[in-house]
Amino acid sequence: MQMRNALVGAFVIVGLLLFGGGLFLIGDRRLLFARQFELNSTFGKITGLRTGTPVRVPGLDGGEGLEIQVPSSPSQPFRIRMRLREDLRQLVRKDSVPAIQTDGIVGNAFIQIGVGTEAAAVVSPGDTLRGRDPIELADLIQEGQNTFRTIASQVVELRGDVSTAIGSLTDVSKAASTLVEDVGKNVDQLPITGNAAVRSAQSA
């Protein structure tokens, strides 16, 4: 009986230790035991973002997204409320730019906050930084299509200008040919006129 009670007690103690260790790891991962401050960022598009999205400063895991606030009108951006480690705050300046990035081509999204410049002031808790929207494949395809259309229209216009120039050159060539023919005829008449003048002089 005592052995059974000892085993049950040991099992409970081990379970409590595992539970406590798990809570500590989760709390450490969620930065619950570190000093923190909150920061906001705005984005026109939030592709891949969700509550709990990691925040890196820069590249170092420094926090997480707490809330995504939906704008009240299409002209307003999304607002992301974030929680960051206090020891990283001196790296985040007023001119720092948050950007949405992904781990690899199809990896999970995260927010990367760039290190600001020395001349800019350190952010204060509750400040809002303007983010840079992610570049999506559909945007690149659309931009490529627009560029192709622009180039095609310019080629058509250039072809029209070339056709006009060729037409003008053709007209100039025809005029030159006519002029050469007229000059040739006049040259052919010179000996005849000269001979007539000579005969007139001799008869006089």
Side-chain angles (χ1 to χ4, degrees), residues 52-125:
T53 294
V55 180
R56 300 177 183 176
V57 186
L60 178 67
D61 290 336
E64 63 178 350
L66 297 178
E67 181 185 8
I68 299 176
Q69 299 177 3
V70 179
S72 57
S73 66
S75 61
Q76 296 179 351
F78 290 87
R79 178 179 294 272
I80 310 299
R81 188 166 61 91
M82 301 173 289
R83 178 172 57 200
L84 300 175
R85 288 166 40 183
E86 179 65 31
D87 59 338
L88 297 177
R89 188 154 68 93
Q90 70 272 11
L91 300 178
V92 185
R93 304 299 176 100
K94 298 284 188 179
D95 59 353
S96 295
V97 179
I100 300 176
Q101 300 182 4
T102 56
D103 288 320
I105 298 177
V106 293
N108 295 325
F110 64 92
I111 299 175
Q112 174 86 1
I113 300 180
V115 174
T117 61
E118 293 286 346
V122 177
V123 294
S124 300

Side-chain angles (χ1 to χ4, degrees), residues 1 13 62 67 74 90 94 143 161 181 185 193 195 204:
M1 187 66 179
I13 292 174
E67 181 185 8
Q90 70 272 11
K94 298 284 188 179
E143 184 176 353
D161 294 339
E181 291 178 359
K185 291 179 181 178
T193 305
N195 292 333

Side-chain angles (χ1 to χ4, degrees), residues 185-199:
K185 291 179 181 178
N186 293 331
V187 170
D188 293 338
Q189 293 295 328
L190 286 177
I192 299 174
T193 305
N195 292 333
V198 170
R199 286 194 298 269

